[in-house]
């Protein structure tokens, strides 16, 4: 008998460490829906006091282009807009633009643009956010597909980690302790 | 029909060109991302390494998890709970990093549960005393940090980024273990005896974690060439020994290796020969706890079946 598929869809997770900082990609979780993805993301990525906001989005809803792909393909109407994106509303809507500014970096929120399709959002992003050095990869997220943790969630979702200082390596004074023991042994 | 067509020759040369560009990117220190072209062997090696690493995190919860109910104080219990929870989280980061290469979490878990996948041999040894929790954190997690600090510079972006997160958290693991070891080593005579016994049992399995000697490690050259690894097994093992031996000595602890000595010329601590028969025996499933570990994983998977079924029913 075939095993049931318990894989569940993959959601990409973006975390904001402090208010005012951009959301950054931290990885992904599996979940049956965005609400569950947000709860799983909290458990997997917020075990320490370093989060003020979480976003989750179905991985399939991300329109992704690496610099290498952009070099190889022309950013035309065909061949770019239909892959990786399962649905398009056809109407103008907001897209969040993430990019990896350096080849060693992490996908980071850089802004948002209104567009009728992901490929158009990418075109606008290339014009507006490319800078002197072109980013090494782009992620385009339709804003309506992103589930954002509410400010009301901070207390229940993120505040408990604040008290768990023992999870931080700075809570252990092993260097001082080693010195103490060494001096007790008389510098043996 | 075996003659090469013009098309197939062109295809071959374009593959060679792609490989050349790929290797040039790695030489420039760029990260390879999902969606970028990569050689099939690069993908295969990464899936092998990342999934083994993920399995090690998941199986690694078991030896220490056994002591959660018996931790000597509420603070130590909270710390140990947090640490074991971190290991579960690290397994998650890593399974997801491997998924970006086109394998599913279900496939990887099936390989582990069916005994086809490897994981760190060190977790096939039993945790007999509370001191083992300290020594695992101090020695085993420190050994892991050296390996993972190297992997945080690895050429594959998702693996490197997972490693950066993991290393930050592993520092807590090492320090809480070191803290336990310091307390026991400066405690009563029976506490000292307990931590010495634990060091004696974990020393060699920890050294084996770095893997076979460079000459016996068939994957090393290709992994170094593609920037997946930047240091060899023996180099990492030597770094570990050089740092940990003086620390343990300063705590009044000895190591179970009569030929351990300091080489003044090189500044290295030289260890005796590792029992490689034991290493291969444990890797191939015949260590003290291999069967127990796999049974615990299978039981957890079976007992969680109803949750997965409920989720997919809800999702369907």
């Amino acid at each position: 008998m075939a095993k049931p598929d318990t894989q569940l869809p993959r959601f990409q997770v973006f975390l904001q460490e402090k208010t005012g900082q951009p959301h950054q990609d931290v990885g992904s979780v599996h979940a049956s829906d965005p609400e569950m993805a947000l709860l799983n993301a909290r458990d997997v990525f917020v075990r320490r006091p370093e989060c003020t906001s979480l976003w989750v989005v179905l991985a399939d809803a991300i329109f992704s282009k690496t610099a290498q792909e952009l070099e190889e393909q022309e950013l035309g109407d065909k061949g770019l807009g239909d892959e990786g994106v399962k649905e398009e509303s056809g109407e103008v809507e907001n897209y969040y633009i993430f990019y990896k500014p350096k080849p060693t970096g992490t996908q980071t929120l850089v802004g948002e643009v209104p567009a009728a399709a992901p490929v158009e959002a990418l075109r606008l992003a290339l014009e507006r956010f490319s800078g002197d050095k072109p980013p090494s990869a782009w992620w385009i997220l339709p804003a309506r597909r992103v589930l954002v943790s509410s400010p009301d969630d901070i207390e229940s979702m993120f505040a408990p980690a604040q008290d768990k200082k023992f999870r931080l390596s700075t809570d252990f004074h092993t260097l001082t302790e080693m010195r103490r023991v060494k001096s007790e042994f008389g510098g043996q | 029909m075996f003659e090469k067509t013009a098309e197939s020759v062109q295809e071959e040369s374009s593959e060679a060109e792609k490989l050349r560009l790929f290797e040039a990117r790695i030489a420039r220190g760029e990260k390879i991302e999902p969606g970028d072209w990569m050689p099939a062997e690069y993908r295969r090696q990464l899936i092998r390494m990342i999934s083994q690493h993920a399995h090690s995190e998941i199986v690694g919860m078991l030896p220490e998890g056994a002591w959660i109910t018996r931790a000597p104080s509420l603070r130590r219990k909270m710390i140990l709970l947090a640490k074991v929870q971190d290991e579960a989280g690290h397994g998650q980061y890593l399974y997801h990093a491997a998924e970006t290469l086109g394998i599913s979490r279900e496939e990887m878990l099936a390989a582990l549960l069916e005994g086809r996948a490897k994981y760190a041999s060190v977790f096939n040894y039993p945790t007999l005393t509370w001191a083992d929790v300290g020594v695992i954190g101090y020695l085993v997690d420190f050994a892991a940090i050296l390996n993972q600090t190297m992997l945080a510079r690895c050429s594959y972006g998702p693996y490197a980024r997972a490693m950066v997160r993991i290393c930050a958290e592993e520092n807590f693991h090492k320090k809480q273990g070191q803290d336990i070891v310091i307390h026991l080593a400066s405690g009563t005579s029976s506490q000292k005896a307990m931590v010495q016994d634990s060091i004696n049992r974990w020393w060699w399995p920890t050294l084996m974690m770095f893997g076979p000697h460079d000459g016996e490690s068939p994957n090393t050259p290709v992994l170094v060439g593609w920037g997946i690894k930047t240091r060899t097994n023996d180099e990492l093992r030597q770094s570990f020994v050089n740092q940990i031996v003086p620390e343990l000595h300063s705590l009044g602890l000895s190591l179970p290796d009569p030929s351990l000595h300091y080489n003044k010329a090189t500044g290295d601590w030289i260890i005796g020969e590792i029992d490689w028969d034991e290493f291969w025996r444990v890797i191939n499933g015949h260590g003290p706890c291999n069967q127990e570990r796999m049974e615990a994983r299978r039981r957890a998977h079976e007992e969680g079946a109803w949750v997965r079924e409920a989720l997919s029913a809800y999702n369907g």
Side-chain angles (χ1 to χ4, degrees), chain B residues 18 21 26 35 56 67 74 81 104 109 111 119 122 138 145 164-165 177 186 193 200 216 225 249 265 286 288 299 303:
Chain B
K18 278 179 182 165
L21 290 172
I26 289 176
S56 300
W67 279 90
L74 183 57
L81 269 170
S104 74
L109 284 177
Y119 56 87
V122 73
Y138 192 12
I145 288 171
V164 171
R165 288 191 80 76
S186 46
N200 293 350
E216 317 274 316
H249 282 168
H286 308 293
R299 196 170 58 242
E303 287 174 358

Side-chain angles (χ1 to χ4, degrees), chain A residues 6-7 10 26 28 30 32-33 36 44-45 47-48 66 68 100 103 105-106 166-167 169 171 185, chain B residues 25 31 33 36 75 82 85-86 89 93 96 99 105-106 161 165 169 172 175 250 311 314-315:
Chain A
T6 57
Q7 176 81 19
R10 200 161 63 82
V26 285
S28 55
H30 291 280
S32 57
D33 58 39
M36 184 194 276
V44 175
F45 296 105
R47 293 190 298 275
R48 285 175 173 70
T66 63
Q68 191 177 352
K100 221 171 68 141
T106 300
F166 57 83
R167 280 184 178 276
S169 64
D171 208 41
F185 274 107
Chain B
R25 289 186 63 195
K31 297 281 183 232
E33 294 293 337
D36 290 344
R75 178 175 161 81
Q85 192 191 35
D86 275 349
Y93 301 164
H96 286 279
E99 280 184 336
R105 185 183 52 172
E106 280 200 333
R161 288 190 290 274
R165 288 191 80 76
E169 302 184 349
F172 148 61
K175 280 191 158 188
S250 75
L311 282 174
Y314 174 72
N315 195 40

